[in-house]
Amino acid sequence: MRITHKPFSLRIYLLIVVTVSWPFQIAYLLWAETPFMRYALSSLPMIMVTVGTYIAGRYIFRDGFSKSGWSWGKSKHYLAVFSIAIFVWVVPTILELVLGMRTIPRGVVISDILGNFLLRFIGTLIPAFGEEFGWRGYMLPHLVKQYSLRTALLLHSLIWWAWHLPVLIGMGITEKLTDNVGISIAIMLAVSLIPSMMHAIVFAYIWTVTQSLAVVTVYHAAFDEIRDAIASSIGFGSLVEIWQMLTLAILGGLLLWKGNWKQLTARKI
């Protein structure tokens, strides 16, 4: 029997993904009090993006996932994505230490930081795949078929940022950037918008060039866990924060403007 495809609807897709994933983001804000609960409730929303995507692609639109990027990529690709993550987080951290803006806390050793990173990195691979499979492997190619290239890339980037809204709003509340909660939330959303959107462009470019969910998943896990390993051991200050936002904004902007996206536009779903 021939399987008929239903035209892709962004609204239906997002409704499914948000419905199955946002409850876990909200639960993270309410109940993530222990290390295990923080890990579980931060990982589950990412995994649920894949669950929602599978429901949409398998049972609603019935268009499958054969073109999502089922290859391992090349060794040079993994070296490149680790280099990006290191440049974003490790380089400015070293600068802060050299400039005397931060000191290594007593008792913290490099081997502990590396061990912490490795454990976190392995634990994040599955959740990171959850997001990459949905946003880059499935949604983005559909958007490219419906919109111009840059419109599709920017729309996908805006959606990726907006999907994090529960966490961003929670950060605006807990970090108390001002005495006014509403203003703190507005600042958090405004400051995060451009760097987050441009970072999504970086994710999209890595996936497009490597044709590999594995490579972009490794980048996602490396980026998150290099950040978290440093934050939980040495910590970082304003230089690191500014560095990472500027780096992602500039890199994403350059890729959006001058990147070679031919493999994405030529991809057939």
Side-chain angles (χ1 to χ4, degrees):
M1 181 181 295
R2 183 179 178 182
I3 298 176
T4 58
H5 296 176
K6 181 178 180 179
F8 176 79
S9 166
L10 181 60
R11 289 183 180 181
I12 294 175
Y13 173 72
L14 292 179
L15 177 62
I16 295 170
V17 171
V18 168
T19 298
V20 300
S21 62
W22 266 22
F24 295 100
Q25 284 200 49
I26 296 169
Y28 175 84
L29 300 176
L30 297 175
W31 299 309
E33 297 179 354
T34 65
F36 173 76
M37 289 299 289
R38 284 194 292 272
Y39 170 75
L41 292 176
S42 63
S43 298
L44 281 172
M46 302 165 72
I47 294 172
M48 295 307 290
V49 173
T50 278
V51 173
T53 298
Y54 183 79
I55 293 171
R58 178 67 176 84
Y59 299 107
I60 306 300
F61 307 119
R62 298 181 179 181
D63 46 18
F65 314 103
S66 61
K67 303 297 184 179
S68 293
W70 304 108
S71 71
W72 289 109
K74 301 177 180 179
S75 56
K76 66 179 182 180
H77 296 151
Y78 293 98
L79 177 61
V81 297
F82 266 103
S83 297
I84 295 171
I86 289 170
F87 182 78
V88 171
W89 294 113
V90 177
V91 170
T93 299
I94 292 173
L95 284 175
E96 283 193 343
L97 293 172
V98 170
L99 295 173
M101 300 173 63
R102 182 166 298 278
T103 58
I104 299 178
R106 186 184 300 272
V108 173
V109 295
I110 298 299
S111 59
D112 291 339
I113 298 175
L114 293 175
N116 186 27
F117 161 73
L118 183 60
L119 183 63
R120 287 172 175 267
F121 173 76
I122 293 172
T124 303
L125 286 172
I126 291 177
F129 171 82
E131 280 201 58
E132 296 312 312
F133 174 67
W135 305 132
R136 259 64 71 172
Y138 186 77
M139 183 183 74
L140 179 58
H142 280 289
L143 295 181
V144 171
K145 296 299 179 182
Q146 296 182 350
Y147 302 94
S148 67
L149 173 63
R150 287 188 174 85
T151 299
L153 287 167
L154 289 172
L155 180 57
H156 129 275
S157 300
L158 180 62
I159 290 170
W160 189 68
W161 170 82
W163 180 76
H164 292 87
L165 278 177
V167 171
L168 292 171
I169 291 172
M171 292 172 62
I173 295 172
T174 57
E175 294 191 12
K176 298 179 179 178
L177 301 175
T178 69
D179 293 333
N180 186 295
V181 174
I183 295 176
S184 294
I185 293 173
I187 292 173
M188 180 61 66
L189 297 181
V191 169
S192 66
L193 178 60
I194 299 303
S196 295
M197 287 184 64
M198 292 302 100
H199 196 192
I201 299 295
V202 175
F203 280 115
Y205 194 73
I206 291 170
W207 176 78
T208 298
V209 170
T210 65
Q211 300 285 284
S212 170
L213 281 172
V215 174
V216 73
T217 294
V218 165
Y219 171 69
H220 196 143
F223 183 92
D224 285 1
E225 298 316 326
I226 290 176
R227 175 198 64 203
D228 290 351
I230 293 173
S232 62
S233 55
I234 299 174
F236 47 72
S238 58
L239 175 60
V240 177
E241 292 286 5
I242 294 171
W243 178 289
Q244 65 94 9
M245 287 191 293
L246 284 177
T247 298
L248 295 176
I250 293 171
L251 179 58
L254 288 174
L255 292 175
L256 180 65
W257 181 37
K258 289 292 188 180
N260 183 356
W261 299 94
K262 289 182 180 179
Q263 289 173 293
L264 176 59
T265 55
R267 180 180 290 265
K268 295 183 181 297
I269 301 173

